[in-house]
Every structure is written in C-alpha cells, then in structure tokens.
Amino acid sequence: MFVDKAKIFVKGGDGGDGLIAFRREKYVPEGGPGGGDGGNGGDVIFRVDEGLRTLIDFRYQRHFKAQRGVKGRNKAQHGANAEHMIVRIPPGTVIIDDDTGEVLADMTRHGQQVVVAKGGRGGRGNIRFATPSNPAPELAENGAEGQERYITLELKVMADVGLVGFPSVGKSTLLSVVSSAKPKIGAYHFTTITPNLGVVDVGDHRTFVMADLPGLIEGAHEGVGLGHEFLRHIERTRIIIHVVDMAGSEGRDPFEDWTKINDELKQYNAALEERPQIVAANKMDMPEAEEKLAQFKEQIASVRPDLEIMPISSLTRQGVKELLYRAADLLDQIPDEPVVEEVAEVNERKVFKLDTAEDEGFTIVRENDTFVVHSPKIERMMKRMQLNSHDAILKLARTLRHMGVDAELRKRGATDGTSVRIADFEFEFVEGSSYY
C-alpha cells in the first residue's frame, strides 16, 4: 500500500522535577541542601531512512511522545536525561506544521535528521537556590513541558526520471518493460492510482530510478482527477519523460495532449517548465502513427524547437533502448542533488523564542469578589515552581511585587483577605506583607 500523506501528533518529553532534599551525613553538621536537578525530556527527532518508500507506518501509529526526564535525587545527584525518540521517515518527506502551514523541513538525504518537538528542560533542585542569606532553601522547580504540535507529512517520490502523460498512453507498460516493476496495466483510465518505481539498468553499468506517475488530466493543478495528490511527486524528478500516444488511439490529438499536460505542470510549479524533458512518441507500431509523428514534430518546432522527440513502442520495444541511453546521458549532465526549496531550520532558538513584551505584561479582571490575574510570565513561573513550600510562596510574592501586581491590586480595591487567583492557584491578599 502506497501512502504519501499523513497527519500525526508529536510531543517532546517533559523535564524531570527538581528535588528538595538535605544532607544527612554523619560528621557533617548543618550539611545544607542536597536536592539535585531533574533530567531533560527527550526530543522527537525525524531521521531519513533510504530503506523506506512510503508513509504507511504513520497510518497505524499517529502519536509520538518522547520519555520525560528522571526526577532529581538526593546528594545533589542529577536525574537522568531521557532518551531521544527517533522516528524514521522515507527520503523526500516534507514536514509541515499543521497549525501554521509552515514548512519545517524538507528531508532528502539518508541520515538527515531534524528535531520536530524539543523536550522540556529539567527543573532545578534546591541546591541551586542556596544563597548566603538563605543557605537551606525549601525551593525547587518542576520540569518544563515538552513542545507539542500536530504535523503533516507529505512524501514526494525520489526518482531520477518521471513518466508523465494522459491516462492510457503507455507509461505503465514502458516501466514494466525497462525494469522489474510490475505495475497494474488495464485498458481503462486511471489504471495507475499510485506512483510505481522501478530501477532501470541501461546496460553499460549505468542505472537510474524511474517513476510511473499516475495519469494527469486537464485541471489537475486545481485538484481535478488525481490532481494535487500526485503532482507533488513530479517536483522531485531530475528529468521528465513525457509519454504521448502518437497513434491517437482514443481520438485525441497528440500535440493537444502534450500542450495540456505541460500547461498543468507549469500551473502547479513554474520551475517544472525548466526541467529537462524528452517526449516519448509511443505506440509507433500502430497505423497512422508515422504520419501523425511528422505533423507533431512540425507543431512542436513552432513552440519548442529544442525539445527532443524519440519515437518508441513499449509493446514491440522499438526505440526503447535508445530512449534509456538518452535519459542516462541527460542524467549524467545534471547534478545529483535533488531539487528542493530552501526551508526554515527547526532549532532550539525557534522552538523556545519568547516575546519579551508579552512576558512583562499582566491584566487583572474582577469576578465577583475575586481578582483574577492573567500573565504569561507569572503562569509559566508557577508551572515551574513547586508551590508547596514557604520559600516558593515568598519567591512568588517577590515576583508579584517587582512586576507591580501588588500596587495594581490596591488600586482596584483589594484589601486584607481579598481572594486573588492566578491560573489554578488561589490565595488571600495581605496588605503590606506577602501572599499566603
């Protein structure tokens, strides 16, 4: 089964919590804090494996979550970092953020990898908060949450040569006679509904990969027929062999077919117009094919005099060997690197980039007798702090005073005993003191 598109969920592992602990060794009076840091959560990493050809695995597994870091331990021992989760993908996979539509990475080379969901940083243990004025703090942090996102994977087949053309012009038959591929062949349109790949041995120690791409029709760039489902695969091919039914066996005009298909390619991606192309004038064993070929060459000469036309017959194998040699010669002249667009690199700075202006701001609204404070900075801090100790509450109170939340609450009419809520944490306001 060929699967070339999948939507999945990825989540980096959460960081391990820091520990509140104190040294208890014999002969070490007043040993001080000994709580270690939590380990970092694992990243979700996509790595290209050239042994894969489809995205079929993502049909059965759609959620990928890395392990969380290990909690800090006593005696200042750091919790273990979690192992990264490696997800294998086939070459030619484009990774897209499903929410924003942004292309995160275009994966083409074996072994290429990218971090798509960064693991959270481990929380600090109380040993990190010791100061001369507070040598034994009861203060530690929770691990940060790992990044999570929905991702769309799109596979663009990696082939040296792509066969394009209207349905039933003989693309599958050509692939079957030049390689060991066994595509489904039938006397009706859209026999081929998935790309077929075959390795072609030219015979002079040269080989290349050929892809039979499903038949295109007019309007394909707008999604008509198989449309966008398979136009994307043509972008990866280094050269195009345009197969034309020169006998016009279904009553179509060969030149009109060629014009329509090239227009569809251009409408989908203008760069495809510049891609090297050979016209394979197929079905030359049929009556009237020679006459139509002469007319076709005259018509082509008026629009693209440089275009190479090679008469063949997939059925009798006439001209097939010459076509393969010419394709191999063209490939030798073209760089081996696949044609890909430059895309943004997924890195730590991008994943954890923060908006400074938003961090320092806060809003206060009143709900009945309770003041509700909204602040991304404070809410992030409260997620990290273990608010079950007196030291943690004092640290929160200092932060609120420093940001001016105290003064704003007084302006709004807060007095002793007034309820204040931040996220899920509710406490009482105490005038001139701290929060409890």
Side-chain angles (χ1 to χ4, degrees), residues 161-162 164 234 237-242 265 272 275-278:
V161 177
V164 303
I234 301 171
T237 59
R238 294 163 61 198
I239 69 171
I240 295 172
I241 293 182
H242 193 147
L265 298 179
L272 292 175
R275 197 69 47 85
Q277 183 178 140
I278 302 172

Side-chain angles (χ1 to χ4, degrees), residues 189-206:
H189 287 190
F190 298 112
T191 308
T192 306
I193 58 174
T194 63
N196 292 302
L197 275 73
V199 177
V200 178
D201 187 348
V202 181
D204 58 355
H205 306 291
R206 289 186 295 175

Side-chain angles (χ1 to χ4, degrees), residues 96-270:
I96 303 169
D97 188 299
D98 191 67
D99 293 326
T100 64
E102 177 187 9
V103 176
L104 302 177
D106 198 345
M107 313 293 281
T108 58
R109 301 185 308 276
H110 177 68
Q112 184 181 1
Q113 64 182 38
V114 64
V115 177
V116 294
K118 186 73 178 172
R121 190 180 65 186
R124 292 177 292 177
N126 68 334
I127 194 173
R128 299 287 189 180
F129 296 96
T131 63
S133 60
N134 186 9
E138 294 188 9
L139 185 62
E141 289 179 334
N142 295 319
E145 294 181 352
Q147 188 198 21
E148 60 183 60
R149 55 168 33 134
Y150 280 94
I151 281 177
T152 298
L153 302 177
E154 287 188 358
L155 176 62
K156 298 181 181 180
V157 166
M158 301 285 287
D160 299 305
V161 177
L163 300 177
V164 303
F166 267 88
S168 300
V169 295
K171 300 186 299 298
S172 297
T173 303
L174 177 59
L175 181 65
S176 69
V177 301
V178 301
S179 73
S180 298
K182 303 297 180 187
K184 183 180 179 182
I185 299 173
Y188 53 89
H189 287 190
F190 298 112
T191 308
T192 306
I193 58 174
T194 63
N196 292 302
L197 275 73
V199 177
V200 178
D201 187 348
V202 181
D204 58 355
H205 306 291
R206 289 186 295 175
T207 62
F208 57 81
V209 177
M210 179 182 285
D212 165 24
L213 302 171
L216 303 175
I217 62 175
E218 193 172 6
H221 72 280
E222 297 175 342
V224 177
L226 298 178
H228 287 154
E229 291 300 316
F230 299 108
L231 270 169
R232 71 171 73 98
H233 299 301
I234 301 171
E235 295 180 284
R236 283 283 191 263
T237 59
R238 294 163 61 198
I239 69 171
I240 295 172
I241 293 182
H242 193 147
V243 183
V244 178
D245 178 2
M246 198 51 60
S249 54
E250 296 193 358
R252 295 199 305 264
D253 178 69
F255 180 71
E256 189 177 327
D257 283 1
W258 178 85
T259 303
K260 286 179 178 178
I261 293 298
N262 275 279
D263 187 56
E264 292 303 319
L265 298 179
K266 180 181 176 181
Q267 294 285 348
Y268 178 73
N269 186 341

